[in-house]
Amino acid sequence: MINTIKMSQFVKYIQILLILVVSVLVSCENVRLPPTIGYFPNTPKETSNLEAAYFWTPQNKLTSLYWKDADFVKLTLSSLKKNQLYGDGLINMTGMYNWISSPLKDTVILKAGYDDENIYLLLEWNDSTSNASYQTYKYDGYADPRKPDESAIGWTSQKNSDNISLIFNVEGNTNKDIWQWNMAKSAPFNYAFNLSESEMGDITMDNDAELIQRNGTTSRSQPNYEWSGVSQSITLYDGSKTIIDPAYYLLDDHKMSYEGDAIKGKDLFNTESKAHCSACHGYSGSGDFDDYEEPPSNGGQLNLEFTNRSSRDGLKSFISASSHEGKGYWDRLSGVSADENDLIAFMRSIAGIPGTIVKAPTASQVDIKALTDFKFGNIERTHKGYKVLFIRKLSATGINDVEFSPTKEFKFSVRLSNNDEINYIGEENLMLRFKSNEL
């Protein structure tokens, strides 16, 4: 009984001591205590400024509870730069040349949060089409109505790539701190480019001279490389593994020399006395039989992603298989390797060879993480929308990087481009503020 009383008194003393400690800590400024029951649900509301709430546990996943209930800012989009055409002579498919025509209007949402180490910015928008360098480098590509004097005959760059840029003013610096998420160049590796205005010029990013390998000296020449057929499995900076879709990207160490001549292959594809693939697949593999008096059985389109998701040897094996109704046409080539390679070269060309050859970044290059919900092993061009979660340390990592402090406000802008990198929409003069309360 005595021991029980002593134990009870001891527990009371501990409780009193804890109350005193908590009272002292609460009276001190800038001291945060962990929530006692974990995550507190919030009723999300629209705010005029982007407000970053503090959370004790990092909300570093798109599925983290905080992002479901966080307050948000809805962008008022306007055309920030338009009527720009590429000066390199290549055809560009700019969906934002005049103004945006997709359902992006009034649908871009921003949310923010921070912990003791990082700031987190989530952007969501309802664009239902992804352009992860789809048909970037294409033979006889789509003509641009804004360039009536130019022909799309030959190899053209279609400039397809979704982009989003966050542009922060840097205190005491006339330069800008720019975080650019690029669907074709950075997104597969879960990071964003850490750039400055001087590195990007007029907030554009076109590294084609470095990333796209081509033969000859003209921009309309045949590409150097295609997919080697080896699975593009890579290890990311955080140790996780991912698969990269060869219909959109060529990894630097997963490419092979482009074989065959697409021009000769086009002749084989469409000539009745030769392979005559167009008999079932339509002219140039489009599946379109409008010019036929008696349309043949539809063999389906060949100018789609799956054509470049097959290796060259895989395509040959499929076409020559007895289960393929077109085997007899393929046999007309009599096993001549040059003709076979020319035909496959044309099939590659109409599907659009990825024009971006990328190399996975090292851990030292990843200053800004950028997570998205895309499956980069098999990207589809239609989806439910975008989510991109930017994560960067509060402290600056470079001389032109913004230094975040919960006691200050930060002016920034958001720019989006749907198909190119020189016409863009967005909103400027936004404000980021930090809230001190815990969630």
Side-chain angles (χ1 to χ4, degrees), residues 147-330:
K147 294 183 175 182
D149 297 330
E150 289 193 26
S151 169
I153 296 175
W155 289 90
T156 62
S157 174
Q158 302 299 318
K159 295 287 185 185
N160 283 354
S161 182
D162 292 277
N163 296 273
I164 187 165
S165 295
L166 302 180
I167 305 155
F168 293 91
N169 290 6
V170 180
E171 186 176 10
N173 194 331
T174 57
N175 217 325
K176 308 281 187 181
D177 183 10
I178 301 167
W179 308 358
Q180 188 183 73
W181 179 84
N182 182 286
M183 185 73 172
K185 298 171 186 175
S186 71
F189 308 111
N190 291 339
Y191 86 115
F193 293 105
N194 186 5
L195 304 169
S196 65
E197 228 170 354
S198 60
E199 292 172 305
M200 290 194 56
D202 187 23
I203 319 298
T204 66
M205 181 176 173
D206 190 355
N207 287 341
D208 287 355
E210 299 175 13
L211 298 175
I212 300 180
Q213 309 294 321
R214 298 172 182 161
N215 287 323
T217 58
T218 65
S219 58
R220 298 294 173 87
S221 59
Q222 186 161 298
N224 265 353
Y225 302 114
E226 62 177 284
W227 180 44
S228 67
V230 178
S231 176
Q232 297 190 134
S233 175
I234 60 170
T235 301
L236 299 178
Y237 59 84
D238 60 359
S240 63
K241 292 183 180 294
T242 190
I243 301 290
I244 304 299
D245 191 336
Y248 296 89
Y249 315 99
L250 294 182
L251 290 183
D252 189 53
D253 53 353
H254 289 72
K255 63 185 187 296
M256 60 176 277
S257 296
Y258 187 83
E259 297 184 24
D261 187 314
I263 298 176
K264 294 179 180 177
K266 183 176 183 179
D267 180 61
L268 293 170
F269 191 95
N270 289 294
T271 302
E272 186 173 354
S273 61
K274 299 177 181 178
H276 200 207
C277 304
S278 58
C280 289
H281 296 285
Y283 183 74
S284 295
S286 64
D288 183 2
F289 300 100
D290 289 344
D291 295 334
Y292 287 72
E293 292 183 4
E294 296 182 9
S297 61
N298 190 344
Q301 287 183 259
L302 297 179
N303 57 349
L304 298 173
E305 296 94 326
F306 73 86
T307 303
N308 279 331
R309 284 182 179 142
S310 299
S311 66
R312 178 172 284 267
D313 289 339
L315 285 171
K316 289 181 179 179
S317 296
F318 176 83
I319 298 170
S320 62
S322 58
S323 59
H324 176 224
E325 293 183 10
K327 180 182 184 302
Y329 294 97
W330 173 263

Side-chain angles (χ1 to χ4, degrees), residues 25-36:
L25 289 175
V26 170
S27 66
C28 296
E29 295 183 358
N30 300 321
V31 175
R32 300 187 182 94
L33 297 176
T36 57

